[in-house]
Amino acid sequence: MRSFFQRLETRAQEIRSLLCIGLDPHPADLPTPSAAGARDFCLRLIETTHDLALAYKPNAAFFEAWGPEGWASLESVVQAIPAGTLILLDAKRGDISSTAQAYARSAFETLGVDAITINPYLGQDSIQPFIADPQKGIFLLCKTSNSGAADLQDLLVSREPAARLGDADAGHQLADPPVLVPLYEYVARLAASWNQQDNIGLVVGATHPEALRRARLAAPDLWFLAPGVGAQGGDLEDALRAGLRADGLGMLVPVSRSIARAADPRAEAMALRQKIESRRSGIALAGQPGPPAADLFPGGEQLAGALLRLDCVQFGEFTLKSGRQSPIYIDLRRLVAEPRILAQVAEAFLPLLRGLRFDLLAGLPYAALPIATAISLRGGWPLIYPRKEVKDYGTRAPIEGVYAAGQRAVVIDDLITTGGSKLEAIEKLQAAGLEVSDVVVLIDHTGAIDFSTEYGYRLHAVFTLPQLLDHWERGGGVPRARLDAARRYLAAA
């Protein structure tokens, strides 16, 4: 059984298209304004574009307005869409309990669509009926394309789901104020945490490139539906640069009126598809997933400052284990000195981990064990760790913790330089029958190691060291000469 987004991704790669064609039969566009006219309008559009569209997005409102005949027309339109092409119902449903279940049955069973847009305002339980089947997907309204979206969606809220403003037991205020983010970004973080079956995406308007950028940082692996290109004035290239994933995928670009009202709808759809593919390929090849490399995720500025304050990153002259001299030294064992910062580190790992498939965290001794433990407590995942030295007494277990052969482990470490210690640990895990595909670290020392190419394992990092150096330069917290010396060292490494 493949999830909704696995199906979508396969289709996108097969036909090399991210174009989603909207089926919005505005009465003014119909030669004969009627339910039958709406049906025929959409059928003609499907007939001329079916090989170009990754998905179709019929808008329920334009059919429901015609009453029972309109609903029958919608059914005819859905049935006419070729097999393999995904169908996304634009209905923006949102309700609770049995009502949400009825909406889900209506869309997925009666109508037979593959996905639906959902209003998340009623909370997690309201979306459960829509995501019970992994093969069916939803797109949660996050940052909509209309001008009034800012009225609610830009309100600042605490990034923490239940942020405490004071510690009653200790009888004092917490030292650090809560990190505030726009409500849409909070929704993006929630969606990433809820996406346990790979069938939750986000609606983020192409009219708001900055919101696309922030949402992508908050939900790096989710698919976005990005309306607003064309009639609403959204810039296609800006939207793609801000919203695409690092692999050049992760965005559906819905276009309706620009295609439907064109003199030659097929030619317009083909031109849009080619323009999207050209921009997508260029962005992917350039290694530009969206936000500039120097940008930090929301809340990352506070954590980057804490790394300096705790002397987790120091500048000077240091002799490394290899004997080499280095102008920079990273010691993340010092994180245990401040539990609050250690908790922030764990929080920073969560968006990366929630996009991966795994059963267990595998923390590497020794510096990463406190980090992995904090992540385990924060995310609720079980933890194991491969020993550096196997004891010659007791159980003599090479791996501590509870696990079973065939389970998938994600490797957690503090930083990566050459990657040698990761490979040694992975060998031990695989020898015990565990599967490993991903390695997640707090800091990638060079920002250039490609585990996928070199070793076949995907590497994910909260920070790269070049990214941190750029941030500290902008903040003025480290002398420029020290930063330049570190950059020269990294370039020569």
Side-chain angles (χ1 to χ4, degrees):
M1 180 187 299
R2 295 191 303 159
S3 71
F4 170 75
F5 285 109
Q6 287 173 332
R7 294 162 56 208
L8 186 71
E9 194 159 313
T10 298
R11 170 82 177 167
Q13 293 170 329
E14 287 175 349
I15 69 169
R16 299 185 66 81
S17 177
L18 298 180
L19 180 63
C20 174
I21 297 180
L23 301 176
D24 299 359
H26 292 263
D29 294 334
L30 307 180
T32 304
S34 63
R39 177 199 62 208
D40 294 343
F41 174 88
C42 294
L43 293 181
R44 285 192 296 271
L45 200 56
I46 294 168
E47 184 179 1
T48 61
T49 62
H50 64 85
D51 58 329
L52 305 173
L54 172 56
Y56 284 98
K57 183 174 69 66
N59 190 317
F62 290 106
F63 297 92
E64 292 174 358
W66 298 107
E69 294 83 3
W71 189 262
S73 292
L74 177 58
E75 290 180 317
S76 297
V77 168
V78 169
Q79 291 168 8
I81 295 173
T85 302
L86 283 299
I87 307 171
L88 166 59
L89 183 65
D90 192 355
K92 301 177 179 68
R93 302 297 191 207
D95 219 310
I96 59 174
S97 189
S98 58
T99 309
Q101 293 174 5
Y103 276 136
R105 289 198 305 272
S106 171
F108 297 145
E109 297 177 22
T110 303
L111 192 56
V113 301
D114 300 290
I116 187 171
T117 54
I118 296 293
N119 188 331
Y121 196 72
L122 281 75
Q124 184 178 14
D125 60 331
S126 70
I127 74 170
Q128 288 303 320
F130 296 95
I131 59 173
D133 182 353
Q135 297 184 85
K136 301 297 184 180
I138 64 172
F139 286 88
L140 295 178
L141 302 183
C142 179
K143 176 68 172 178
T144 53
S145 57
N146 58 305
S147 58
D151 293 346
L152 290 177
Q153 296 163 19
D154 285 3
L155 293 177
L156 294 179
V157 300
S158 171
R159 189 164 61 93
E160 297 295 329
R164 296 178 302 148
L165 297 180
D167 188 332
D169 293 334
H172 62 272
Q173 289 291 98
L174 292 179
D176 298 322
V179 177
L180 299 181
V181 297
L183 178 60
Y184 70 79
E185 184 177 317
Y186 181 81
V187 171
R189 291 178 179 276
L190 281 181
S193 69
W194 293 344
N195 186 37
Q196 299 301 308
Q197 300 193 92
D198 194 29
N199 60 347
I200 297 178
L202 294 169
V203 177
V204 188
T207 49
H208 308 295
E210 175 62 15
L212 270 167
R213 186 187 71 84
R214 293 185 69 121
R216 177 53 70 203
L217 287 168
D221 298 303
L222 296 191
W223 273 79
F224 292 173
L225 179 72
V229 170
Q232 289 181 272
D235 184 86
L236 177 61
E237 185 163 352
D238 286 349
L240 291 172
R241 287 194 178 278
L244 280 174
R245 296 188 320 212
D247 60 0
L249 296 171
M251 277 183 69
L252 267 175
V253 182
V255 181
S256 176
R257 284 170 283 180
S258 297
I259 294 175
R261 295 175 178 174
D264 186 340
R266 176 172 178 80
E268 179 67 16
M270 185 176 295
L272 273 170
R273 172 181 173 269
Q274 290 173 343
K275 188 175 182 181
I276 293 169
E277 178 61 21
S278 174
R279 299 298 187 272
R280 183 194 72 80
S281 299
I283 290 169
L285 289 174
Q288 297 176 356
D295 284 356
L296 302 184
F297 59 89
E301 296 89 348
Q302 183 180 11
L303 186 52
L307 294 178
L308 284 181
R309 179 168 57 83
L310 286 175
D311 285 335
C312 291
V313 180
Q314 301 177 45
F315 296 86
E317 295 297 328
F318 305 95
T319 301
L320 303 182
K321 182 179 180 181
S322 63
R324 293 184 62 191
Q325 296 298 304
S326 171
I328 186 170
Y329 186 68
I330 300 175
D331 183 6
L332 295 172
R333 294 171 178 83
R334 299 178 66 87
L335 286 170
V336 296
E338 289 202 26
R340 190 188 310 280
I341 303 304
L342 182 59
Q344 291 178 4
V345 168
E347 176 72 20
F349 272 78
L350 298 187
L352 299 177
L353 290 168
R354 284 168 176 156
L356 305 179
R357 301 286 185 186
F358 63 92
D359 304 301
L360 306 161
L361 302 173
L364 301 194
Y366 293 104
L369 287 183
I371 295 173
T373 301
I375 295 170
S376 175
L377 293 170
R378 190 75 172 169
W381 296 295
L383 172 65
I384 60 174
Y385 64 93
R387 296 185 62 89
K388 280 194 171 184
E389 312 88 7
V390 178
K391 295 185 297 184
D392 58 3
Y393 57 90
T395 62
R396 300 181 181 180
I399 298 173
E400 299 291 356
V402 179
Y403 60 91
Q407 287 186 301
R408 184 182 293 271
V410 57
V411 171
I412 304 295
D413 208 356
D414 58 336
L415 77 158
I416 186 167
T417 50
T418 65
S421 62
K422 316 298 180 287
L423 297 176
E424 292 175 5
I426 290 171
E427 287 180 3
K428 293 178 182 178
L429 295 168
Q430 291 176 335
L434 293 164
E435 299 178 10
V436 179
S437 298
D438 298 277
V439 175
V440 187
V441 300
L442 180 62
I443 299 177
D444 177 355
H445 195 266
T446 66
I449 294 176
D450 188 347
F451 252 43
S452 179
T453 300
E454 295 291 331
Y455 307 116
Y457 305 106
R458 294 185 293 267
L459 175 66
H460 314 267
V462 175
F463 299 113
T464 67
L465 187 52
Q467 187 182 42
L468 287 171
L469 295 176
D470 289 347
H471 171 73
W472 290 326
E473 180 175 354
R474 292 196 304 272
V478 180
R480 175 67 180 270
R482 296 288 195 186
L483 295 169
D484 287 345
R487 291 188 178 107
R488 289 192 297 271
Y489 174 80
L490 293 177

